[in-house]
Structures are given as structure tokens and as C-alpha cells.
Amino acid sequence: MRIVAVNGSPRKGWNTEKILQRALDGAQSVGAEVEMLQLYAQPFKGCISCFACKRKGNSTGGMCTFRDALTPLLEKVRTADAFIIGSPVYFGAPTGMVRSFLERLMFPVDTYLVDGEGKRVKVLHDTTPSAIIYTMNCPDWLMRQVDYPKLLGSSAEEMARLFGYCETLYACDTYQFSDYDRYDCNMFSKEDKARQRDTHLPIDLQNAFELGRRLAIMAEEAST
Ligand SMILES: Cc1cc2nc3c(=O)[nH]c(=O)nc-3n(C[C@H](O)[C@H](O)[C@H](O)COP(=O)(O)O)c2cc1C
């Protein structure tokens, strides 16, 4: 069983990757082979709207036929038994790179076909459990007030529709700079931020561990 994580943050080793790594640790704890993939290490484009995946009689098998540096990464995700995407929230949305990656991952497994009952024809019939982990600067109460779950929820909804299962984890109030004193920033108290990092990040990490473990167990059950 192979589970991959996609780090959709440009910062290696920061909040998003740390939390993703714990999710992979959780998957590994129940026997999964795991791999972290770095999205920002690849120069790539989003969907170029070639519609090769929608041509009559196409044999793309749900893979994006436009080849660039993203292709090997897409292949690893598509052949994994489960996958987890991590993204920082940028202006109330996933990062642009994550959006571009999702276009290339999801459009080829989506169709413009409906069956006799008007239901969307599926490319994938088996479930591939998936998850999205969002990290963000804003605290939990503000995330709820500005309704980030609604703003951010559409990607997870599409993933659930196309891959059969998707869950979301929100990690709020992340520590953004290694030294707050060196940045123009009086909106946030560095003491509050450090307290949050020391008390809440361990909870996010534990939740991620359990998420990874849960996904790996689901993938194992789906394959037997
Ligand atoms: C360009 C940019 C836009 C951001 N926009 C938001 C935002 O809209 N809401 C929010 O809560 N945090 C925002 N943040 C903060 C990041 O989401 C947060 O620091 C995240 O945890 C960073 O992940 P990383 O540590 O893995 O890089 C933004 C950061 C950047 C660089």
C-alpha cells in the first residue's frame, strides 16, 4: 500500500510540510509505504484546455496527456492507494500551484457525459481515499467567522465526487516567521503566536497522524 502527500507550500519544512509529514507517519504506522512530493520543485502549468481527455475514443485512462514536469508527480498520485494534499491558505483559497495541480489531476477523471438517468458518468469506479490539509495564519474563530470551510470546501467536494472520499483538516493560527522581530507586523502578538505554536500545533500534528492512519486503513480495506 502506497500513500503520497503533496506539499503545496513553497516553504519546505514549514507548517504545511510538518503537518503532512505527521499524516504520512500515521499511514506508515499501519504499514503503508509513504512519499512526500514537493509541488514547488516542479515548473509546471495548470490545465491548458486541450480537451484531449474529453475526445471521443480517447485512451488517456484519466491521466492528463499534457506532458511537463508535473507528469511524474501526477502519475505517482494517480497510482497511489491514497493521497493527501497540503496547502497554505493564500487570500482565502488554496495556493495557485495547488489549484493548477488540481486542474491537471481532476479534469482528466471528470467527464461531460451523463447516463440514462442523468447521472454523471464516472472515469474512476474504485475509491481512492484522499484528504486536504489547509494551514492558515488566522485563528480558528476567525476562520469560522469568515467561513473558510465554505470558501475552501469546493476542492474537497470535487475530490470526494471524483475519487470517492475526501476529508479536510484545518490547521489555524500558524507561526509564520522564524523571528517575528525582523518583520513589519504589529497585527499579531509574537507571544500569542508562540503560545499557539507550542500548544495547538501538537494537536494539529496528532489530528494529522490520525488522518493518515485512517486513510491508510481505508485504502487497505478498499483494496481487499
Ligand atoms: C501570499 C500569502 C497569502 C496569505 N493569505 C492568507 C489568508 O488569506 N488567510 C490566512 O489565514 N493566512 C494567509 N496566509 C498565511 C499562510 O496561509 C500561513 O502562514 C500558512 O500556514 C503558511 O504555510 P507554510 O508555513 O507551510 O508556508 C498567507 C500567506 C501568504 C504568503
Side-chain angles (χ1 to χ4, degrees), residues 7 9-11 14-17 88-93 135-138 148 171 174-176:
N7 179 21
S9 165
R11 302 200 296 176
W14 275 79
N15 298 285
T16 310
E17 190 179 6
V89 173
Y90 283 0
F91 296 102
T135 71
M136 65 200 83
N137 175 59
C138 77
Y148 272 178
T174 53
Y175 203 75
Q176 288 199 84

Side-chain angles (χ1 to χ4, degrees), residues 24-178:
L24 289 183
D25 293 345
Q28 208 169 26
S29 75
V30 287
E33 225 179 89
V34 298
E35 187 178 5
M36 180 77 72
L37 306 169
Q38 301 293 344
L39 204 53
Y40 277 76
Q42 320 301 331
F44 68 94
K45 285 187 161 70
C47 175
I48 58 156
S49 204
C50 68
F51 292 112
C53 58
K54 304 287 174 281
R55 287 232 186 95
K56 284 183 195 294
N58 80 79
S59 56
T60 59
M63 266 302 293
C64 179
T65 55
F66 178 68
R67 296 193 74 81
D68 65 3
L70 190 65
T71 305
L73 197 144
L74 284 171
E75 281 167 358
K76 283 185 175 185
V77 173
R78 280 297 317 284
T79 54
D81 297 293
F83 64 91
I84 307 164
I85 297 165
S87 180
V89 173
Y90 283 0
F91 296 102
T95 62
M97 297 285 266
V98 167
R99 286 290 314 164
S100 294
F101 161 73
L102 285 174
E103 289 165 9
R104 301 271 303 277
L105 178 73
M106 298 200 300
F107 200 53
V109 293
D110 203 2
T111 70
Y112 285 161
L113 294 171
V114 288
D115 64 17
E117 290 161 10
K119 280 202 206 130
R120 221 46 180 266
V121 172
K122 286 183 164 222
V123 171
L124 303 178
H125 298 283
D126 297 332
T127 293
T128 305
S130 66
I132 306 191
I133 297 176
Y134 286 112
T135 71
M136 65 200 83
N137 175 59
C138 77
D140 186 77
W141 65 265
L142 186 56
M143 176 189 84
R144 309 265 161 214
Q145 195 179 79
V146 297
D147 211 353
Y148 272 178
K150 189 169 175 204
L151 282 176
L152 298 167
S154 63
S155 298
E157 272 171 34
E158 297 289 13
M159 279 165 60
R161 180 171 70 81
L162 298 168
F163 296 100
Y165 181 83
C166 182
E167 58 180 276
T168 310
L169 179 71
Y170 300 105
C172 297
D173 218 348
T174 53
Y175 203 75
Q176 288 199 84
F177 317 119
S178 46

Side-chain angles (χ1 to χ4, degrees), residues 139 173-175 180 187-200:
D173 218 348
T174 53
Y175 203 75
Y180 273 71
M187 275 175 78
F188 320 112
S189 129
K190 69 173 179 181
E191 289 79 16
D192 286 351
K193 279 290 194 187
R195 202 173 308 115
Q196 179 72 8
R197 178 195 57 198
D198 297 341
T199 58
H200 209 274

